[in-house]
Amino acid sequence: MNVPLLIARRYFSSKNKRNIISIISNISMVGVAVGTMALIIVLSVFNGLEDLVRTLYGKSDPDLLISAVQGKSFETNEQLLARIRATPGVALLTEVIEDNALLQYHDRQMVVKLKGVSDNYFAQSNIDSAIVEGDHRLTRAEEPYALIGAGVQHELSIAIDNKFAPLRLLYPRNTGKKTLSMNPETAFTEQTIVAGGVFLIEQHIDDSYIFVPIGFAQNLLKYGSRRTALEVKVGESRSIDEAQEDLQKLLGPGFHVYNSDEQHVSLLKAIKVEKMFVFITFAFILLIASLNIFFSLSMLVIDKKKDIAILMAMGATSHNVRNVFLFEGAIVALVGAFVGLTLGITICWIQQTFHVVSMGMATSVVDSYPVKMQLADIVLTGIAIIIITITVSIRPALNASRLALRDNL
């Protein structure tokens, strides 16, 4: 039988405790419970935001993206493309030409990201599920069509499938001169294309991107056999990490091979950094809330002087006395943490299941706040509570041990 733990449990559940000590202990438990609950909820919201970012960009992002280490484009040939297609795990290879271009529609204009993709693009991308108007096909009856973002359509008031008012796309000619001619006919190459569909994915993409057939982009931008990227869909026979490693070995140091997370590393890293700082902030709040444990234990040591003397007379050691108050602090903190974890997990589950808290915006990409619980967050919160409990309980417990030694002498 663990005598110090038994005594600590009796102190915790005793109805004869002085009222002020009981009140402070209850405040301590409530503070730990609220801090723990808030920490679980906030971390789960950040997990949900991270998943939301992956889901949104996953509609247009490939499994793997190949780009040049230097420069914005690189030369391709059939031998290189054949070697990539023959790599184990590569199920589909899409060629991409992407660059800035000037879009004109009637009397309005804006700079857009023109992305030319090969015919098999929609076999690996889920962007067709994000179409809100028109058709996702980029070629119909051998005629090229453009797929535009909702933000681009709104900015220029573009009508879909209007062959009498096509989009005008202009790109600076590469004349080798440092100065640009003021004559638009000689300064820019120009092509027209009909807007065939509108997509709604994410604001950054919606406000700037236009998808066109790769042949159209190749003629407008004069890229020839150069490509800005190659997008790879990985088959089920091989994992994405394994295929990424194989392609990196095949292509060498002149190319980057990015997985889906690495394609948006800055955004995902920003979310993780914010999550870390929020955890640290709430951990400090939890520490401040747990200071009441320190005060309640200090008052309990003073209140139990006679009990300490009796224990020492019965043969208890200063180590036993110290453990009594360490266990007392642990019980107060763990009861509060258990209640907080239960409440936090319950609230997150309700939000995940019933979507109670809405975003409150008609234009938001999701109706309710995204929430996702992770076991690692619960474990990390538990470790933080243990560290905080030891920190605030050790001093009163040592004071009780010194008091026991002094009375014994």
Side-chain angles (χ1 to χ4, degrees):
M1 179 183 296
N2 193 328
V3 176
L5 178 59
L6 178 63
I7 297 172
R9 288 172 57 189
R10 291 294 299 272
Y11 283 166
F12 176 76
S13 58
S14 175
K15 297 181 180 180
N16 297 323
K17 293 188 294 184
R18 290 188 179 181
N19 191 42
I20 187 64
I21 300 175
S22 176
I23 291 174
I24 294 176
S25 296
N26 292 334
I27 292 173
S28 303
M29 285 188 290
V30 171
V32 172
V34 171
T36 304
M37 178 186 68
L39 188 55
I40 291 296
I41 293 173
V42 171
L43 293 180
S44 298
V45 169
F46 273 97
N47 294 335
L49 289 174
E50 189 174 336
D51 263 19
L52 177 62
V53 169
R54 289 193 174 98
T55 302
L56 289 176
Y57 283 106
K59 293 180 180 179
S60 59
D61 288 345
D63 293 334
L64 296 175
L65 179 71
I66 300 172
S67 63
V69 173
Q70 294 183 343
K72 64 180 182 180
S73 64
F74 54 90
E75 289 287 340
T76 60
N77 52 57
E78 285 303 320
Q79 291 79 12
L80 174 65
L81 299 179
R83 289 166 59 197
I84 295 174
R85 292 190 183 99
T87 303
V90 176
L92 199 64
L93 179 65
T94 302
E95 301 175 50
V96 175
I97 296 176
E98 183 177 325
D99 207 339
N100 294 325
L102 180 65
L103 171 62
Q104 291 183 343
Y105 186 75
H106 293 311
D107 58 343
R108 299 183 179 184
Q109 62 184 23
M110 67 180 295
V111 176
V112 296
K113 282 280 189 181
L114 184 70
K115 184 171 182 178
V117 294
S118 49
D119 296 335
N120 60 359
Y121 177 72
F122 294 103
Q124 70 161 313
S125 171
N126 294 322
I127 194 174
D128 53 335
S129 64
I131 301 301
V132 294
E133 186 179 353
D135 195 326
H136 75 278
R137 291 176 297 168
L138 298 179
T139 304
R140 306 178 210 167
E142 299 184 357
E143 290 292 328
Y145 282 80
L147 189 60
I148 63 176
V152 176
Q153 183 196 31
H154 180 268
E155 181 70 21
L156 302 183
S157 300
I158 299 173
I160 302 302
D161 286 327
N162 187 354
K163 294 185 178 181
F164 297 101
L167 308 177
R168 294 179 61 207
L169 286 160
L170 296 91
Y171 186 77
R173 292 181 186 273
N174 185 12
T175 60
K177 298 179 180 179
K178 295 183 179 180
T179 58
L180 184 66
S181 172
M182 298 302 293
N183 184 0
E185 294 183 359
T186 59
F188 295 92
T189 56
E190 177 184 338
Q191 283 189 243
T192 60
I193 190 170
V194 176
V198 180
F199 61 83
L200 183 63
I201 299 175
E202 190 272 335
Q203 186 176 2
H204 170 69
I205 299 176
D206 300 339
D207 291 348
S208 58
Y209 268 82
I210 289 184
F211 292 85
V212 297
I214 195 168
F216 179 90
Q218 193 172 355
N219 293 332
L220 174 68
L221 307 179
K222 304 301 181 185
Y223 263 55
S225 61
R226 290 182 296 132
R227 301 290 183 265
T228 57
L230 297 173
E231 298 185 355
V232 175
K233 181 180 181 180
V234 179
E236 298 179 356
S237 61
R238 205 160 179 81
S239 70
I240 293 178
D241 291 338
E242 291 173 336
Q244 180 183 15
E245 185 179 351
D246 292 342
L247 285 172
Q248 190 65 70
K249 290 179 180 178
L250 171 68
L251 297 171
F255 291 88
H256 286 305
V257 181
Y258 297 111
N259 59 32
S260 56
D261 283 356
E262 291 169 344
Q263 292 170 43
H264 305 287
V265 63
S266 298
L267 181 58
L268 293 174
K269 185 179 290 185
I271 294 176
K272 290 182 182 295
V273 169
E274 288 180 9
K275 180 181 175 181
M276 180 186 69
F277 277 105
V278 165
F279 176 81
I280 294 172
T281 302
F282 273 84
F284 274 111
I285 294 173
L286 197 58
L287 175 61
I288 294 171
S290 301
L291 288 177
N292 287 318
I293 298 176
F294 171 84
F295 295 119
S296 65
L297 287 180
S298 298
M299 296 179 67
L300 189 63
V301 169
I302 297 172
D303 185 52
K304 300 299 181 181
K305 282 185 178 180
K306 292 182 180 179
D307 291 3
I308 293 172
I310 293 172
L311 287 173
M312 295 298 291
M314 294 174 63
T317 64
S318 60
H319 179 75
N320 298 134
V321 174
R322 182 194 65 192
N323 285 346
V324 168
F325 294 95
L326 280 177
F327 284 135
E328 174 72 10
I331 291 172
V332 172
L334 292 178
V335 169
F338 177 78
V339 172
L341 285 172
T342 303
L343 289 174
I345 292 172
T346 302
I347 291 172
C348 291
W349 177 81
I350 291 173
Q351 178 65 12
Q352 280 183 291
T353 307
F354 302 104
H355 311 291
V356 176
V357 183
S358 66
M359 295 293 288
M361 295 183 295
T363 57
S364 61
V365 294
V366 289
D367 296 328
S368 61
Y369 276 94
V371 174
K372 180 184 178 183
M373 290 180 287
Q374 289 185 352
L375 179 61
D377 293 335
I378 298 174
V379 172
L380 195 61
T381 301
I383 293 173
I385 291 171
I386 292 172
I387 294 173
I388 290 171
T389 301
I390 294 174
T391 302
V392 300
S393 301
I394 190 68
R395 183 68 181 179
L398 290 175
N399 289 339
S401 179
R402 293 192 189 99
L403 180 63
L405 284 173
R406 186 185 65 188
D407 291 345
N408 193 38
L409 293 174

